[in-house]
Amino acid sequence: MRAYATSLGAYALLILLTLGALPATAALPQQVDGQTLPTLAPMLERVTPAVVNIATSGKVRIRQNPLLQDPFFRRFFDVPEQPRERRTQSLGSGVVIDAEQGHIVTNHHVIREAEEIVVTLRDGRELQAELVGSDPETDLAVIRVDATGLTQVSVGRSRDLQVGDFVVAIGNPFGLGQTVTSGIVSALGRTGLGIEGYEDFIQTDASINPGNSGGALVDLRGQLVGINTAIISPAGGNVGIGFAIPVHMMRTVVAQLVEHGEVRRGRLGVAIQDLTPGLAQAFELDTRDGVVVTEVAPGSAAAEAGLEAGDIIIAVNGDPVSDAAALRNRIGLLRIGDRVRLRYLRDGERREVSTELREASVPSSEVPGLPPQLQGASFAEVEVRLSNGRQALRVGVENVEPGSAAARAGLRPGDVILSVNRRPVNNLQEFRTAVREAAQLLFHLRRGEGALFMLVR
């Protein structure tokens, strides 16, 4: 099948040259010289009933200018009352992964803030769906429909994919209805795009457009290998660079969403950075793969395991980690209470330790409504000593992913946020409320022994 597919265009041209131009009503024959022409139709006949269209509607709060909330200002300038909410609509796709339970996997951004979710099957049935759970960090969600006669997709192994493998994308681009496009795997393990908190994308040149989100990426056997989620599109349409969440990540997240309605991630408790060539030379290492531990949180799983700043983590549960994103993905997909084996280097000596992951702090991108400028940073409540000598609770920056929006804004691990827009924030709840309601953020930070103001737009 694979060899035939690569030469389909040349084969069709050869037929036209040898047989002459075909009449407008003619079609290619099923066989040429006794050999069957390649087609994906039988595979798609099995798979496409498992891919559904999703339409959602809901309401979101409109951010208001504080001046417009002042009754005197509105009356003086004759400003009409401003609406506080607006209706939203979204179109996307989904994949039936459990026909018996009616479970459908899609993207979180497809059903985000939805009050009503309507699923349309390929046979035309329209069904009301309910949300089982969603995870903004991986942009995955599970919804459920109550229906019989559903078809579920066969889930494959994304770890077996290779660059150059043929894949097929199925979804609902631009609301046109179910559409199939084909291409190849262009790259694997794409990270650092700032699209999601945990990134390990399959890149493909199969056409993916708005509305394909949540749809299926399948191999030529019809097995699901990814969930289509994003594109790079300078002009708003497909330019041959699309991304799908691999099914090995989907399996882990979906299992927790079905069981808990959320993902309960374990926490290792380290701040990390990539092992650059310069750092490798400074540490007198002959390897360029690994992650440098820059800080260990007191009382964390890492502290219990004996990790120290300067250690180089090179493998998690036997799987090598080449950079900080890889380590974040490995740990971020494990649950609270899972044991993890870490292989690391200390002073050039190879060591191994096992520890149990603990409950994670709240990453900013897991909280709906937080501005995109803070994506990639995690925050935790910390005790600080004020200028009067008293101990007080504030919000600290626990970790900042290299290259993330929060890093570009200037946030650093260890920063303590004293106030947001000149309003003190004493805990995570006050912090989340303050940053959600503001059009721009003026942080008053304590950094080391000094303090500064930082404006984040």
Side-chain angles (χ1 to χ4, degrees):
M1 173 67 77
R2 189 170 297 175
Y4 287 138
T6 59
S7 58
L8 179 56
Y11 217 149
L13 179 60
L14 178 61
I15 294 169
L16 291 174
L17 291 174
T18 55
L19 299 182
L22 296 175
T25 57
L28 289 174
Q30 293 298 309
Q31 292 186 342
V32 174
D33 294 333
Q35 193 171 42
T36 303
L37 291 178
T39 177
L40 299 176
M43 178 273 284
L44 293 172
E45 188 63 28
R46 298 192 313 271
V47 174
T48 51
V51 182
V52 304
N53 295 344
I54 297 176
T56 69
S57 61
K59 291 183 292 188
V60 296
R61 288 178 58 86
I62 299 176
R63 289 183 177 178
Q64 302 283 346
N65 188 313
L67 282 176
L68 299 181
Q69 304 306 302
D70 187 337
F72 175 79
F73 179 88
R74 292 204 311 268
R75 187 166 58 251
F76 185 83
F77 290 99
D78 194 25
V79 177
E81 186 72 26
Q82 301 295 309
R84 296 180 178 271
E85 295 180 329
R86 64 178 176 84
R87 298 293 302 178
T88 63
Q89 292 183 321
S90 174
L91 290 174
S93 308
V95 185
V96 180
I97 57 170
D98 189 332
E100 184 177 346
Q101 299 296 324
H103 288 157
I104 298 170
V105 66
T106 185
N107 285 140
H108 164 78
H109 74 261
V110 171
I111 54 82
R112 179 178 53 212
E113 297 169 338
E115 294 180 348
E116 182 183 31
I117 304 173
V118 177
V119 169
T120 303
L121 306 182
R122 199 186 70 163
D123 61 15
R125 283 185 288 170
E126 292 189 355
L127 306 170
Q128 294 289 327
E130 62 179 1
L131 179 63
V132 175
S134 69
D135 179 43
E137 281 283 80
T138 55
D139 197 20
L140 287 170
V142 177
I143 59 177
R144 180 184 176 277
V145 295
D146 186 8
T148 58
L150 297 176
T151 300
Q152 72 183 48
V153 71
S154 172
V155 179
R157 289 177 52 85
S158 53
R159 293 191 186 277
D160 292 341
L161 285 176
Q162 300 180 58
V163 173
D165 283 349
F166 288 99
V167 286
V168 175
I170 311 171
N172 178 35
F174 300 106
L176 291 172
Q178 194 172 88
T179 301
V180 177
T181 58
S182 65
I184 63 169
V185 173
S186 304
L188 294 167
R190 286 293 195 214
T191 62
L193 303 176
I195 299 172
E196 299 168 9
Y198 294 91
E199 298 182 344
D200 188 18
F201 291 121
I202 303 166
Q203 181 181 326
T204 177
D205 65 349
S207 292
I208 296 175
N209 289 288
N212 273 111
S213 293
L217 187 73
V218 301
D219 59 21
L220 294 188
R221 292 182 292 273
Q223 294 184 325
L224 184 70
V225 293
I227 300 296
N228 301 322
T229 189
I231 58 175
I232 289 180
S233 176
N238 174 67
V239 294
I241 304 176
F243 302 99
I245 301 166
V247 293
H248 71 261
M249 180 180 288
M250 183 207 76
R251 286 179 186 270
T252 303
V253 172
V254 165
Q256 292 207 53
L257 293 180
V258 171
E259 183 177 354
H260 305 296
E262 62 181 358
V263 176
R264 299 178 178 178
R265 291 187 170 87
R267 174 186 176 226
L268 184 58
V270 292
I272 55 177
Q273 70 181 83
D274 291 340
L275 179 64
T276 63
L279 286 174
Q281 184 178 9
F283 282 108
E284 298 180 347
L285 300 175
D286 57 2
T287 179
R288 302 292 174 85
D289 292 332
V291 180
V292 183
V293 176
T294 60
E295 188 177 1
V296 177
S300 65
E304 184 180 278
L307 288 181
E308 299 176 359
D311 289 342
I312 314 295
I313 299 175
I314 57 174
V316 175
N317 290 336
D319 295 326
V321 290
S322 57
D323 53 30
L327 178 62
R328 176 175 164 81
N329 286 338
R330 295 280 194 278
I331 299 298
L333 295 179
L334 298 176
R335 304 184 185 207
I336 298 169
D338 283 352
R339 292 203 67 83
V340 59
R341 288 182 295 107
L342 301 173
R343 190 177 305 143
Y344 64 99
L345 302 174
R346 178 180 294 171
D347 298 327
E349 178 186 346
R350 187 179 297 251
R351 301 186 180 191
E352 189 164 315
V353 70
S354 176
T355 188
E356 184 177 297
L357 297 181
R358 300 181 180 179
E359 187 171 0
S361 59
V362 182
S364 64
S365 50
E366 283 189 359
V367 183
L370 287 191
Q373 306 97 299
L374 301 183
Q375 300 302 308
S378 59
F379 303 90
E381 295 174 356
V382 296
E383 280 193 350
V384 299
R385 186 178 297 277
L386 302 179
S387 57
N388 59 11
R390 295 177 54 190
Q391 292 288 117
L393 199 62
R394 291 291 185 266
V395 174
V397 180
E398 187 178 51
N399 193 25
V400 179
E401 285 294 316
S404 66
R408 293 192 295 272
L411 288 178
R412 299 180 187 174
D415 286 349
V416 176
I417 299 173
L418 304 176
S419 68
V420 177
N421 293 337
R422 300 188 179 182
R423 185 170 68 184
V425 288
N426 301 310
N427 53 52
L428 282 171
Q429 182 59 46
E430 292 181 5
F431 174 71
R432 291 194 291 266
T433 301
V435 298
R436 271 204 301 263
E437 294 176 351
Q440 66 179 19
L441 304 172
L442 178 63
F443 286 150
H444 186 204
L445 303 176
R446 176 182 291 178
R447 177 173 292 171
E449 299 299 321
L452 72 152
F453 284 95
M454 178 182 294
L455 183 62
V456 179
R457 290 189 173 91

